[in-house]
Amino acid sequence: MMRHCFGIAFDIDGVLIRGGRALPHAAKRIKQLQEKHVPHIFLTNGGGCVEEKKSKTLSSILNLPIDPKQMILAHTPMRELVKQYADSKVLVMGAYDVLDVAHHYGFKKVISIQDLAQHNPHQYPFLDWQHKKSPFAEEPIGAIIIFHDPIHWAQDLQIAIDALVGGDPLGSGKGPQTPLFVSNDDFTFSGAYPVPRFAQGAFTRCLKLLYEQHTGKPLEITRFGKPHLVQYEFAEEVMQSQVSQPLERFYGIGDNPFSDIQGANAAGHHWTSVLVRTGVFQSDQENHDEHPGDIVVDSVDEAVEWILHEE
Ligand code: G3P
Ligand code: MG
């Protein structure tokens, strides 16, 4: 068996799938890498579920076995935050199964925006919540963690800002800000709709604007997900764990110049960025002006062909 010294990180939305359907030749290329034992991972800024669930979904779309250990969601490296916040009350935000994700990672005192809204229905008066006591109501919020895209923005913005100012509800700017962690800075993502849709990063930009106008202080944010280095260091570790020989080179295939390409370009000279035209970047320009790919190809099919030829 050949011992490859390189690994490939595949973005999912806009590279392998789009709007829940496989893109042409995606499955064929992943199967080829499985057969050749080329180390590879799925490095997505998606999430909102546990890694096992996302692997099953991708597996059924591509009709291939996918090992959950190969799946790095935007929030996968946030497991590390448990060391700091396992016993603190954390406000977990985002759609889908984010509360399950938090429990799965080991956070013990997890609450949602809805818990807070129901605890005090006057806090967000535009929805008709019935009072229900929140779990851990007597404890302060130790951290706010956005694990996935929030969907009820108006309520979520109001209550998140209340949580950020914590003991200083009038927003004088004098009190400390509750620590905020976000999993995905993407402004847009590519789905079934012909034009990209707002992603979690768009929500965070709104939150930042409102917090700063309210308090006069900059909003401090600890960011995970692509394009941040934390994600690429984690990705390297996971690919290295698949083989015994040291990996020397990594390829990041992605459709979003601001996420996949910026991230791979900044992760070091041992990373090569491969920009495809099947998602956010669909321009007929040769390359992206601000975050150019080391190579630009039409599809994942051509991307893998090019990498295998290079190697
Ligand atoms: O940012 C939203 C998410 O759907 C992006 O996924 O796989 O393109 O990183 P992906
Ligand atoms: Mg993408």
Side-chain angles (χ1 to χ4, degrees):
M1 191 194 2
M2 237 185 120
R3 288 154 63 85
H4 303 284
C5 294
F6 68 99
I8 307 178
F10 287 90
D11 176 53
I12 297 182
D13 289 323
V15 170
L16 298 174
I17 67 176
R18 192 150 170 201
R21 287 168 186 255
L23 281 163
H25 306 295
K28 175 190 86 180
R29 288 301 188 178
I30 299 297
K31 189 159 184 267
Q32 181 184 21
L33 299 180
Q34 290 176 343
E35 285 166 2
K36 285 179 176 285
H37 299 280
V38 174
H40 61 282
I41 49 155
F42 305 99
L43 184 63
T44 176
N45 266 357
C49 62
V50 297
E51 288 74 11
E52 286 75 6
K53 186 171 173 189
K54 184 78 178 180
S55 311
K56 273 192 192 148
T57 308
L58 184 62
S59 170
S60 82
I61 296 172
L62 297 182
N63 196 21
L64 283 173
I66 304 284
D67 184 344
K69 289 199 201 81
Q70 290 176 285
M71 183 60 70
I72 304 178
L73 304 173
H75 48 65
T76 304
M78 295 174 103
R79 286 176 168 162
E80 289 294 304
L81 295 175
V82 167
K83 291 182 188 149
Q84 212 179 335
Y85 294 107
D87 296 314
S88 306
K89 179 165 98 173
V90 290
L91 171 60
V92 167
M93 294 180 62
Y96 306 127
D97 312 331
V98 290
L99 302 181
D100 292 347
V101 172
H103 288 122
H104 179 71
Y105 289 172
F107 295 98
K108 296 194 191 95
K109 297 180 181 169
V110 176
I111 59 157
S112 66
I113 291 281
Q114 189 174 328
D115 288 330
L116 293 172
Q118 288 179 322
H119 186 78
N120 187 346
H122 298 307
Q123 192 171 359
Y124 189 73
F126 303 107
L127 288 174
D128 200 14
W129 292 111
Q130 293 301 304
H131 169 74
K132 187 177 157 209
K133 194 176 176 209
S134 166
F136 319 110
E138 287 72 33
E139 294 184 36
I141 295 171
I144 303 167
I145 307 180
I146 309 186
F147 271 135
H148 195 53
D149 305 28
I151 46 178
H152 304 293
W153 284 27
Q155 172 182 262
D156 294 1
L157 286 165
Q158 175 68 74
I159 294 182
I161 284 173
D162 291 338
L164 284 166
V165 299
D168 176 25
L170 297 178
S172 68
K174 290 191 186 124
Q177 179 207 308
T178 303
L180 172 67
F181 301 89
V182 305
S183 65
N184 170 7
D185 231 6
D186 290 355
F187 185 58
T188 58
F189 74 101
S190 172
Y193 198 71
V195 177
R197 304 288 80 197
F198 291 133
Q200 189 192 128
F203 175 85
T204 310
R205 284 161 175 80
C206 294
L207 186 65
K208 181 174 161 62
L209 181 92
L210 294 181
Y211 177 85
E212 294 182 353
Q213 198 148 341
H214 185 51
T215 65
K217 284 198 308 189
L219 179 64
E220 285 170 25
I221 308 173
T222 304
R223 294 180 164 93
F224 288 78
K226 299 173 290 185
H228 304 293
L229 190 59
V230 58
Q231 222 69 8
Y232 288 82
E233 288 175 343
F234 193 89
E236 287 182 27
E237 273 175 38
V238 173
M239 281 187 269
Q240 184 60 72
S241 72
Q242 295 175 8
V243 286
S244 53
Q245 71 276 17
L247 296 179
E248 291 163 6
R249 297 176 294 285
F250 299 96
Y251 295 87
I253 305 176
D255 66 301
N256 187 339
F258 294 95
S259 173
D260 311 301
I261 305 306
Q262 184 180 1
N265 287 351
H269 293 302
H270 53 309
W271 277 85
T272 300
S273 59
V274 183
L275 178 58
V276 298
R277 298 182 191 276
T278 44
V280 170
F281 183 76
Q282 293 189 34
S283 160
D284 45 18
Q285 285 176 355
E286 265 185 37
N287 208 334
H288 190 258
D289 288 342
E290 202 178 336
H291 300 294
D294 292 316
I295 170 134
V296 186
V297 291
D298 282 347
S299 65
V300 68
D301 191 29
E302 284 181 30
V304 174
E305 186 182 5
W306 181 82
I307 293 168
L308 294 179
H309 183 261
E310 285 292 292
E311 293 291 339

